[in-house]
Amino acid sequence: MQIEIVTIGNEVLSGRTLDTNFAFLARALEEVSVQVVWHTTVGDTAEAIAGALRQALGRADGVVVTGGLGPTPDDVTRKAVAGVLRRPLQLDEDVLARIRERARKSGRKLAASVESMALIPRGATVWQNPVGSAPGLLFTQGEEGKPIILLPGVPQEMEALAVEFAVPWLKSRTGRRVESFTLRTAGVFESMLQEHIGKLPAKWTGASLAYLPSYFGVDLRVTVAGPDHDQVGEVAGRAYAELKERVGPVVYAEGSQTIETVVGEELTRLGLRIATAESCTGGLLSKRLTDVPGSSRWFERGFVTYSNASKLELLGVSAADLEAHGAVSAPVAEQLARGACQRSGVEVGVGITGIAGPDGGTTEKPVGTVFIGVASPRGDAVRSFRFAGSRTTIRERSVQTALDLVRRQLQGLPLDPSLDG
Ligand code: AMP
Ligand code: MG
C-alpha cells in the first residue's frame, strides 16, 4: 500500500513551523512497513487542500492529511474534504457531546466556533482524540475503499491519534507482519561495519538493514516484513542472532537505550559510584550522566577543570606533568580521572582533556586531539583520539567515547573497540 501524506498549514509552508508531523508519521509508517511515497504541503485554503487531496487520490492507495481541523476560520480541511469526497458536512452529536464535556471538565467556557469541529463529512469513522477536541477521521472512498485519514495539526494530538488509531489501522490493512530491532554500536565507522557484515542480510528473506550513523555511533536497524507471519518471526529471530554474533563486541545497547543508561546500570550492578573531571567538554559528560533518571544513586560529582590552576588545585594533577606534557596529554587525562575518584571518594573516575577548536591546535596536537582517562577498580587506562568536526561535534564525540570507555571497563571488555571479538 502506497501512502501520500498531506500536511496543511501556512506556517508549515512558510518554513516557520518544521513539519514534524510528516517526520513522525513517515517514521511510524515505515516501522510497520507501510510505504510513504509522496509528501505534499499546502497552505490553508480549501482550493489548495482539495487540489492536493485529488492529486493524492489519483496516485496513492491511501492519504493521510494533518492540520486544519481546528475551530478557527483558517481551518478548512473538513470543508475541503467534504467537497472532494462529495459528502456533506453533518453535525456529529457524539463528537459535539465530547467537546462540551471536555470544556465542562476543564471549566472553560466554550466558544461557539469550537462546536464547528463536530461538523464532519458524512460517513466518517470517528477516532476520539485523547488529548484534544478535534477527532481523527477515517473515510474509505470508491470501489477499492481507499482510505483517507484526517488528523489534527497539533503535534501532540496528531501523534496520539496516529499511534492509537491511524498507524495500526493502516498496518492491519496491509495484512503483513513487521518485526524490527536496533543494535547500537560505538567506536567503529559505518564503512567498517558494512565490510564486516558483508552479505549476511541477503540470507534474511524480507529483511532490510539500515545503517544509521550519528555522533553517537552507528545504529543498525533491521526490519523484517512479509505476508507470512511465521516466516517473518523466524527470519527476525535468526537475523537478530546472526547480527549480534557478527557485531556483538561493539554493541553497547539495543533499541533506543542510551549509553549513559547502560553505564548507570553497570555501576548499579557493581555497586560503584562515578565522578568526572572535564576540561574541553565543560560539563557535558556530567550532563549526559545526570540526564539518566535516578543517577543520584551512582553519580557523585563532576569537576569542570578548565584552567591549569584548577587541575592542580582541585584534582592534584602534577605541575611537572602539566609543564612537561601540556594540559592536553595522556598523563594529565589519567591524573584527572584518578584525582576525580580520590577527591570525591568514589571508585570510578573519568578525565577528559582535549582541543575542541576551532583555535588552539598545533602540528603535534591538532584540533580534535582528545585524551580520555578512566580510573576504576579494574585499573587505570588512558586513550588518545583524533576527532573530526566542529567544536560541538568534537565535544559530543569525546563524551560518547568516554562513556563507551567506561562501559567497556566496567563490563571487563578490551578498551579498544574491535569487530573481531
Ligand atoms: P492546525 O490545527 O492545523 O491549525 O495546527 C495547529 C498547530 O499545530 C499549528 O499552529 C502548528 O503549530 C502545529 N502544526 C500544524 N501542522 C504541523 C506540522 N505539519 N508539523 C508540526 N506542527 C504542526
Ligand atoms: Mg492551521
Side-chain angles (χ1 to χ4, degrees):
M1 182 162 45
Q2 302 202 315
I3 295 289
E4 175 153 353
I5 295 174
V6 179
T7 54
I8 295 167
N10 291 341
E11 71 281 14
V12 182
L13 200 57
S14 70
R16 287 181 198 283
T17 297
L18 259 191
D19 197 345
T20 56
N21 283 352
F22 168 74
F24 183 93
L25 279 169
R27 273 180 84 143
L29 291 173
E30 193 242 13
E31 276 175 20
V32 297
S33 190
V34 173
Q35 247 190 316
V36 175
V37 287
W38 287 282
H39 170 207
T40 306
T41 301
V42 290
D44 289 302
T45 68
E47 297 72 44
I49 296 168
L53 183 58
R54 280 200 198 93
Q55 169 169 270
L57 284 170
R59 62 191 182 185
D61 305 317
V63 190
V64 182
V65 179
T66 80
L69 293 184
T72 56
D74 67 349
D75 294 311
V76 292
T77 301
R78 277 175 283 104
K79 186 170 150 234
V81 170
V84 174
L85 304 186
R86 297 180 198 285
R87 295 164 183 251
L89 289 170
Q90 290 181 333
L91 186 72
D92 186 310
E93 295 291 346
D94 283 350
V95 172
L96 184 61
R98 288 188 70 108
I99 292 172
R100 289 187 171 148
E101 179 63 10
R102 260 186 79 81
R104 194 187 59 76
K105 273 197 190 139
S106 65
R108 266 175 295 145
K109 191 157 160 13
L110 199 62
S113 64
V114 174
E115 302 198 345
S116 70
M117 289 191 290
L119 274 177
I120 288 169
R122 191 170 65 204
T125 300
V126 174
W127 290 331
Q128 296 301 345
N129 185 334
V131 287
S133 292
L137 302 174
L138 162 72
F139 304 91
T140 46
Q141 185 77 354
E143 277 164 30
E144 317 126 89
K146 265 189 195 182
I148 298 127
I149 291 172
L150 309 186
L151 300 174
V154 180
Q156 195 201 359
E157 300 183 21
M158 189 288 299
E159 289 169 19
L161 285 162
V163 168
E164 193 172 340
F165 299 109
V167 174
W169 191 89
L170 289 169
K171 181 186 176 200
S172 72
R173 275 271 291 220
T174 67
R176 290 152 68 83
R177 179 177 173 187
V178 185
E179 293 294 333
S180 65
F181 63 88
T182 301
L183 300 182
R184 313 197 76 179
T185 74
V188 281
F189 291 113
E190 182 183 352
S191 54
M192 290 160 69
L193 282 165
Q194 267 171 352
E195 204 167 290
H196 193 74
I197 291 168
K199 297 210 163 39
L200 191 60
K203 296 196 295 165
W204 307 331
T205 312
S208 62
L209 166 62
Y211 293 83
L212 307 167
S214 74
Y215 297 151
F216 304 124
V218 182
D219 288 353
L220 302 173
R221 185 178 162 78
V222 175
T223 305
V224 191
D228 181 338
H229 290 210
D230 290 344
Q231 183 183 322
V232 168
E234 185 273 319
V235 172
R238 192 156 44 83
Y240 176 83
E242 289 179 6
L243 190 60
K244 188 94 187 265
E245 150 117 76
R246 188 69 63 98
V247 298
V250 294
V251 172
Y252 66 82
E254 296 182 18
S256 57
Q257 199 181 26
T258 60
I259 198 160
E260 49 272 34
T261 309
V262 177
V263 166
E265 284 176 4
E266 288 302 320
L267 290 164
T268 307
R269 182 174 66 82
L270 299 166
L272 303 176
R273 287 159 64 79
I274 194 167
T276 59
E278 301 181 66
S279 191
C280 65
T281 50
L284 195 56
L285 175 59
S286 54
K287 188 262 177 202
R288 287 274 299 276
L289 287 168
T290 55
D291 279 341
V292 181
S295 48
S296 60
R297 286 196 298 272
W298 43 262
F299 181 80
E300 217 295 321
R301 72 184 75 169
F303 299 86
V304 179
T305 48
Y306 221 57
S307 65
N308 282 358
S310 65
K311 293 179 179 72
L312 291 166
E313 280 168 36
L314 295 177
L315 297 166
V317 171
S318 134
D321 281 334
L322 270 173
E323 176 67 27
H325 307 283
V328 177
S329 65
V332 169
E334 201 164 355
Q335 289 167 35
L336 286 173
R338 195 30 61 204
C341 7
Q342 271 166 1
R343 296 283 169 109
S344 50
V346 297
E347 302 80 12
V348 183
V350 197
I352 305 180
T353 176
I355 302 161
D359 310 316
T362 62
T363 344
E364 202 194 328
K365 292 176 189 169
V367 168
T369 302
V370 179
F371 293 87
I372 303 174
V374 180
S376 84
R378 295 192 201 271
D380 293 2
V382 64
R383 291 290 184 275
S384 71
F385 301 90
R386 184 78 52 83
F387 298 117
S390 67
R391 184 172 174 84
T392 304
T393 310
I394 290 168
R395 284 152 59 107
E396 301 248 25
R397 292 208 157 123
S398 303
V399 167
Q400 184 73 6
T401 305
L403 287 166
D404 199 41
L405 278 176
V406 175
R407 173 190 75 90
R408 289 178 160 277
Q409 184 79 327
L410 295 177
Q411 292 179 338
L413 298 169
L415 280 195
D416 302 304
S418 154
L419 283 160
D420 306 313

